[in-house]
Amino acid sequence: MNYGPESQEQEVSRNIEESMKYICLGYIEPGKFEGMTEDERHATFDECFEYNDHLRANGHLVVEVPLQPPETALTLYWKNGKVATTDGPYAETKEQLGGIQILEARDLNHAVQLVSQQPGFKYGLGPIEIRPVVDLSEIIKASEQRRRRKDTSR
C-alpha cells in the first residue's frame, strides 16, 4: 500500500528537523473484536500493523504500546496521607483505552492526517484522541538549577 507521495528519505530527514510529538490514545468499542470472525480479526491486525510499519519507516511512529483490558488496571490515588488503590481504570467510559502511540509530525494537522489513515477507523474500532506533548526541558533545567543552589547552600 502507498500511504503518501514523499520518498522515505525526504520525509525522514524533514521530520528530524521540524517535528513535534503527539500522544495518540486509541479507544476500542467493547466487544468489537469478539464480534469479528477470525478472518476479519486477521485482516484488521494485518492492515493496522502494515500501516504502523509505514509510519515507523517514515520516522513518524516513535513507539506503540498496546494495553491489557481495563479490568487488569489498578488506579492509585492519595487518601488520608497515604497511597490507596482501586481496581480498574481511573475513568469509566464505554470505550476502552486499547493502546497508546507516540507520533512525530510537523504539526497537529499533520498528526490528524497520519492518524486519519489508520485502518482501524474503517473497521469501526473506536476513536483516537490526539494530544501534543509538552516540552518541559526549560522547566526541568530551571528546577535543576534551583535544586543545585539549594544543595550548595546547606
Side-chain angles (χ1 to χ4, degrees):
M1 282 188 173
N2 182 7
Y3 292 105
E6 297 180 70
S7 76
Q8 288 184 3
E9 295 82 23
Q10 289 172 323
E11 197 168 339
V12 169
S13 66
R14 188 185 50 156
N15 287 338
I16 291 169
E17 296 168 12
E18 53 187 74
S19 66
M20 293 178 56
K21 286 189 175 59
Y22 294 88
I23 301 290
C24 303
L25 306 169
Y27 293 89
I28 299 175
E29 295 284 337
K32 192 66 176 182
F33 281 115
E34 295 80 4
M36 292 179 168
T37 66
E38 185 176 3
D39 287 343
E40 289 170 329
R41 276 193 302 275
H42 288 172
T44 301
F45 283 130
D46 293 350
E47 285 185 49
C48 288
F49 294 151
E50 180 180 16
Y51 185 64
N52 288 348
D53 289 344
H54 166 77
L55 290 175
R56 194 176 298 105
N58 286 289
H60 295 299
L61 183 57
V62 177
V63 68
E64 58 187 318
V65 183
L67 299 173
Q68 293 284 333
E71 57 271 11
T72 65
L74 182 69
T75 301
L76 287 83
Y77 58 97
W78 193 256
K79 185 176 181 180
N80 299 325
K82 61 183 177 180
V83 174
T85 62
T86 300
D87 289 339
Y90 174 71
E92 295 292 331
T93 62
K94 178 184 169 202
E95 294 86 5
Q96 304 168 356
L97 183 59
I100 298 168
Q101 289 185 330
I102 300 177
L103 292 183
E104 292 216 16
R106 290 184 304 274
D107 54 31
L108 183 57
N109 288 333
H110 187 219
V112 168
Q113 177 188 8
L114 294 171
V115 171
S116 295
Q117 295 177 52
Q118 287 282 359
F121 279 127
K122 79 177 180 184
Y123 291 106
L125 296 182
I128 297 176
E129 178 182 340
I130 303 172
R131 289 194 200 180
V133 172
V134 175
D135 180 2
L136 294 178
S137 57
E138 293 301 315
I139 294 172
I140 292 170
K141 206 180 298 181
S143 174
E144 288 170 347
Q145 290 172 352
R146 287 191 303 272
R147 288 179 280 149
R148 268 192 239 119
R149 284 194 301 262
K150 193 170 148 182
D151 286 345
T152 59
S153 66
R154 291 183 187 177

